[in-house]
Amino acid sequence: MPTPHHHAYLWLGHGDLLVKPGDAHRRPGHPEFPSTPVMPLESADWLLKTPAHVRGTFAPPRDAAHWYVEQFTQHASAVTGSYARPADAVHLIRRLENRHDIVGGWWLTGGRFLSLNLIACTPHPLRPHHTCPTP
């Protein structure tokens, strides 16, 4: 059995694309779903998109947590309104060690939205039929 790991996904775009009109393009089965970079409605469904959307693959939870915190930090100054920062790296590592997905989303200036995701793979704990994306 392959080593359990997490795939990293990031979407940064105008919030209007999330509901253009409706959310059908964010559901498996819609013709745009595999190729659209907009995050899916269910986090595990990232695994059903084309492998081009994978921003990184991490077996060590420490590396995955570092990527997540680093990505948020790069965009933190543009976050608007009251928001929750992601958990500290130690908490993220514990969740990743237990094969949980890490999912976060923040509104940014200019009506943009940032989605950061670490999705468990090989297999996904809740969607074992979702196969790992391969390049």
Side-chain angles (χ1 to χ4, degrees), residues 2 9 11 14 20 25 36 40 46 51 60 69 82 93 96 99 122:
Y9 297 91
W11 182 74
H14 200 277
K20 60 157 228 168
H25 64 294
T36 186
W46 271 116
V69 170
S82 65
I93 290 168
L96 293 165
R99 307 213 7 86
T122 313

Side-chain angles (χ1 to χ4, degrees), residues 46-99:
W46 271 116
L47 300 174
L48 302 176
K49 290 183 168 279
T50 61
H53 298 299
V54 175
R55 299 290 183 104
T57 299
F58 305 99
R62 183 181 326 116
D63 294 348
H66 176 75
W67 177 87
Y68 194 88
V69 170
E70 182 179 275
Q71 295 305 311
F72 177 81
T73 300
Q74 288 179 16
H75 297 93
S77 65
V79 173
T80 62
S82 65
Y83 66 93
R85 297 183 71 84
D88 63 61
V90 172
H91 178 75
L92 292 174
I93 290 168
R94 267 193 236 117
R95 291 188 46 83
L96 293 165
E97 286 172 342
N98 289 312
R99 307 213 7 86

Side-chain angles (χ1 to χ4, degrees), residues 2 5-6 15-16 26 31 33 38-40 45-46 48 54 77 88 92 113 125 128-130:
H5 57 275
H6 285 77
D16 287 349
R26 295 176 57 201
F33 177 81
V38 177
M39 76 269 200
D45 289 346
W46 271 116
L48 302 176
V54 175
S77 65
D88 63 61
L92 292 174
F113 191 83
H129 56 281
H130 285 18

